[in-house]
Amino acid sequence: QVTLKESGPTLVKPTQTLTVTCTFSGFSLSASGVGVGWIRQPPKRALEWLALIYWDGDKRYSSSLKSRLTITKDTPKNQVVLKMTNMDPVDTGTYYCVHSFQYDILTWGQGTLIIVSS
Amino acid sequence: QSVLTQPPSVSGTPGQRVIISCSGSSSNIGGNTVNWYQRLPGTAPKLLIYGNNKWPSGVPDRFSGSKSGTSASLAISGLQSEDEADYFCAAWDDSLNGWVFGGGTKLTVL
């Protein structure tokens, strides 16, 4: 059974860097075609894809946020970390970690609420 | 504003069939497969349909998907009260080089 769990701070101050960790089980990020991505949803707004890292280390970023995002993986630990710099109140929302195979999102984590406020 | 367009809400009575539409463009639905997800309050989204019309293990065949051109649809037949949830579509976008999503459709079982 595939599971993903997001962890990180609930409250972040403006201008700070957010670090969220996805800890997963039930699949290997070294298997061909597998990826782990991040998606967020601000309150009452649409889902927005942020970043994706593939089994081979290839990384993709949302073009609108690319300058602020870094995604990394620790395959032996079954973890993927997303860093987002210069946080702003508009970045408030639920951040989801997802398991993908090729172009399909197969499994979602429960999400973690991130509030950006001073 | 979502890249993929869905109706905000649909409703039906138990036993009925409802259809939820998802409209996109040539860079997403037109060139890639569509997935559908069900989100119940307080839970993680669950994959219902992948590859336009395929069922993951454990999903009943009351749920079915189809795609034509730059639009896709999710049909739910034999509506049950437990189907009351939010449904959204997703597809890879070749222009954005990432996933795009529908805004979600709330299904109410009357």
Side-chain angles (χ1 to χ4, degrees), chain A residues 78-98:
Chain A
N78 282 353
Q79 288 184 331
V80 169
V81 174
L82 180 74
K83 291 184 185 291
M84 181 180 289
T85 61
N86 195 23
M87 293 292 282
D88 182 272
V90 300
D91 296 313
T92 292
T94 299
Y95 285 67
Y96 295 96
C97 168
V98 298

Side-chain angles (χ1 to χ4, degrees), chain B residues 44-60:
Chain B
K46 170 189 170 187
L47 180 65
L48 279 182
I49 297 287
Y50 70 98
N52 300 327
N53 54 17
K54 299 179 180 57
W55 293 278
S57 172
V59 173

Side-chain angles (χ1 to χ4, degrees), chain B residues 67-89:
Chain B
K67 185 185 103 168
S68 178
T70 58
S71 293
S73 295
L74 173 71
I76 309 172
S77 58
L79 209 54
Q80 300 177 5
S81 57
E82 55 260 40
D83 297 334
E84 194 162 279
D86 185 60
Y87 295 85
F88 65 92
C89 54

Side-chain angles (χ1 to χ4, degrees), chain B residues 94-106:
Chain B
D94 293 325
S95 296
L96 300 176
N97 220 6
W99 288 298
V100 292
F101 302 94
T105 298
K106 180 170 173 52

Side-chain angles (χ1 to χ4, degrees), chain A residues 41 60 96 103-105 110, chain B residues 2 35 37 39 44 97 99:
Chain A
Q41 185 166 32
R60 305 288 168 87
Y96 295 96
Y103 292 132
D104 296 319
I105 298 172
Q110 292 265 47
Chain B
S2 301
N35 295 346
Y37 303 89
R39 180 161 49 183
N97 220 6
W99 288 298

Side-chain angles (χ1 to χ4, degrees), chain A residues 16-52:
Chain A
Q16 284 187 336
T17 294
L18 169 70
T19 300
V20 282
T21 300
C22 175
T23 303
F24 57 85
S25 64
F27 67 94
S28 171
L29 193 41
S30 60
S32 180
V34 173
V36 173
W38 287 92
I39 292 155
R40 70 177 179 181
Q41 185 166 32
K44 301 199 186 310
R45 290 179 58 192
L47 291 162
E48 177 184 22
W49 169 71
L50 301 176
L52 171 64

